[in-house]
Amino acid sequence: MRLVVHRDYEELSRWTARYIAGRINGHERGGRPFVLGLPTGSSPLGTYRELIDLHKRGELSFAGVVTFNMDEYAGLPEDHPQSYHRFMWDNLFSQVDIDKKNVHILDGMAADLAGECEAYEGAIAACGGIDLFLGGAGADGHLAFNEPGSSLSSRTRLKTLTPDTRIANARFFGGDPQRVPATALTVGVGTVMDSREVLVIVSGHNKARALQAAVEGGVNHMCTLSCLQTHPRAIIVCDDAATEELKVGTVRYFKEIERL
Ligand code: GLP
């Protein structure tokens, strides 16, 4: 696992967008599109802005890209202002040349939620698997909505959100945790781990404990981000603020590796 440390969020976002663009542009198609996993939340916003910029400058096209989002609240219609559908169209898809039929986001309103999750796994497999899964992390180290205690081999399914997550996300629901949906559909840890490459953004002081647990702690279902330690091609990209709880020696070591 690589840990790439940047000075601040802006630098981290620029680097992450350039990394993704490099992968998309370097993809040897052979008839297969580039399959990109995507998160919501504040962490990827800067990266999405940079990706849009690259697209506007003619340096990146999403025409040959298929996307799968990580998660979606259960019970929120697509056009709800806080649905992850809305988030993705507002913050990325409407401003790039992606074909709507290539966008996959779990349907939190499906009559058969278990069937929806199974079909999602099937759709990923039908595309040949995910080439690069971009992610963010919760302050408790959750990846997608794989809350502490989630099985490290889990697949796409319905999850109950922890009080911590509902409190953290209450800022999008008028500050009231009770208005945050209690459940969500999410890809599993196993789904993310099956991707050819995983890149997770960890930014800000409030993620410092999660980063410490994920990098210096053991692989642990109470911090699902830690599963990246066992992935053959995983990167955590973070800013200085998020490294606050890491040992000085740990940060120095990972920085040294990047310099080589
Ligand atoms: C939610 C999402 C995660 C996201 C996390 C952190 O719980 N399900 O995918 O990574 O929030 O969000 P933020 O980036 O806003 O801190």
Side-chain angles (χ1 to χ4, degrees):
M1 184 182 78
R2 286 170 66 188
L3 177 69
V4 182
V5 186
H6 292 281
R7 199 176 38 237
D8 55 29
Y9 181 70
E10 283 65 41
E11 194 180 294
L12 168 166
S13 300
R14 259 194 310 276
W15 184 91
T16 307
R18 292 219 157 266
Y19 188 91
I20 296 167
R23 281 283 181 263
I24 294 173
N25 290 335
H27 180 60
E28 299 207 0
R29 293 222 153 66
R32 214 179 61 81
F34 187 85
V35 186
L36 180 63
L38 292 172
T40 55
S42 47
S43 304
L45 277 175
T47 301
Y48 291 166
R49 279 195 292 271
E50 295 287 338
L51 287 172
I52 292 165
D53 246 39
L54 288 171
H55 169 67
K56 288 194 171 141
R57 290 207 300 269
E59 293 174 40
L60 176 65
S61 168
F62 285 80
V65 177
V66 168
T67 64
F68 285 88
N69 260 80
M70 288 194 135
D71 42 22
E72 177 59 287
Y73 289 115
L76 286 196
E78 277 184 23
D79 59 356
H80 187 285
Q82 296 309 331
S83 80
Y84 288 171
H85 277 81
R86 262 294 275 284
F87 177 98
M88 289 309 300
W89 283 99
D90 287 354
N91 293 297
L92 180 64
F93 296 148
S94 63
Q95 292 162 79
V96 295
D97 60 341
I98 196 156
D99 187 336
K100 194 166 195 282
K101 73 170 175 12
N102 288 337
V103 170
H104 300 83
I105 306 178
L106 285 153
D107 177 7
M109 295 293 285
D112 172 10
L113 292 176
E116 171 69 10
C117 294
E118 206 177 308
Y120 205 66
E121 289 276 344
I124 292 173
C127 286
I130 292 176
D131 290 299
L132 171 62
F133 221 132
L134 177 69
D140 56 7
H142 72 239
L143 184 59
F145 270 130
N146 293 292
E147 301 283 38
S150 295
S151 160
L152 296 183
S153 57
S154 49
R155 312 302 308 186
T156 305
R157 68 214 183 290
L158 180 71
K159 272 303 281 184
T160 300
L161 304 185
T162 61
D164 280 353
T165 294
R166 293 178 78 195
I167 290 167
N169 291 355
R171 65 192 196 276
F172 303 114
F173 292 84
D176 179 3
Q178 290 306 316
R179 286 172 57 197
V180 180
T183 55
L185 303 185
T186 179
V187 294
V189 180
T191 318
V192 177
M193 291 294 284
D194 279 355
S195 309
R196 289 179 192 88
E197 192 171 9
V198 186
L199 172 52
V200 175
I201 299 168
V202 182
S203 166
H205 184 264
N206 70 324
K207 303 287 173 70
R209 283 173 204 282
L211 189 64
Q212 192 276 333
V215 174
E216 292 179 341
V219 176
N220 192 309
H221 63 300
M222 297 309 283
C223 171
T224 50
L225 181 60
S226 66
C227 71
L228 262 55
Q229 292 178 27
T230 65
H231 193 286
R233 212 164 173 179
I235 304 177
I236 293 180
V237 55
C238 68
D239 51 18
D240 274 340
T243 66
E244 193 81 1
E245 299 284 335
L246 288 173
K247 290 186 185 133
V248 171
T250 303
V251 176
R252 193 179 297 140
Y253 174 71
F254 279 106
K255 281 188 170 171
E256 195 55 41
I257 293 173
E258 293 304 317
R259 248 179 246 124
L260 296 176

